[in-house]
Amino acid sequence: ENQLQQQEAYGSAPQQQILLGDQIIYIAVDRRNLRVRQYECRAVNWLSTDLTFPSEHFTVGDIIELAWQQDPDNFLWANLRDGTMACLT
């Protein structure tokens, strides 16, 4: 018998996620944090990590959209509600 098991308690905002290889980057429900979700073989589970934890000043406003830039360098851009942009390198 198959049963569903909760993998995590973190929700996401209803914006498009970014798929990078085997990772999914998404905007958290609070719209201030970015999270990355990846399957962890050793834990046999999906794990979610807060990308903005080391830099909580990354956003002061709501994140409304994400964009991935691959060339010439890898950047993750976050469009903020106040019209500014933040960038993770």
Side-chain angles (χ1 to χ4, degrees):
E1 177 179 321
N2 293 334
Q3 292 185 346
L4 296 176
Q5 294 181 356
Q6 183 172 338
Q7 299 288 307
E8 65 177 36
Y10 301 104
S12 67
Q15 271 64 38
Q16 182 67 41
Q17 299 85 19
I18 303 279
L19 177 62
L20 295 176
D22 63 350
Q23 299 179 333
I24 300 168
I25 299 174
Y26 63 96
I27 303 167
V29 173
D30 66 4
R31 295 185 174 273
R32 288 198 52 162
N33 296 311
L34 298 176
R35 299 191 71 84
V36 61
R37 189 162 207 230
Q38 182 174 11
Y39 189 76
E40 178 58 53
C41 293
R42 288 175 288 203
V44 191
N45 198 359
W46 286 91
L47 299 178
S48 180
T49 306
D50 184 354
L51 289 177
T52 48
F53 176 74
S55 303
E56 291 186 3
H57 64 281
F58 176 71
T59 60
V60 289
D62 292 340
I63 302 171
I64 58 172
E65 187 178 26
L66 295 177
W68 176 251
Q69 175 185 331
Q70 190 171 354
D71 194 26
D73 295 304
N74 295 332
F75 296 111
L76 179 63
W77 292 95
N79 187 10
L80 305 180
R81 186 167 308 283
D82 66 4
T84 61
M85 297 185 80
C87 182
L88 285 174
T89 59

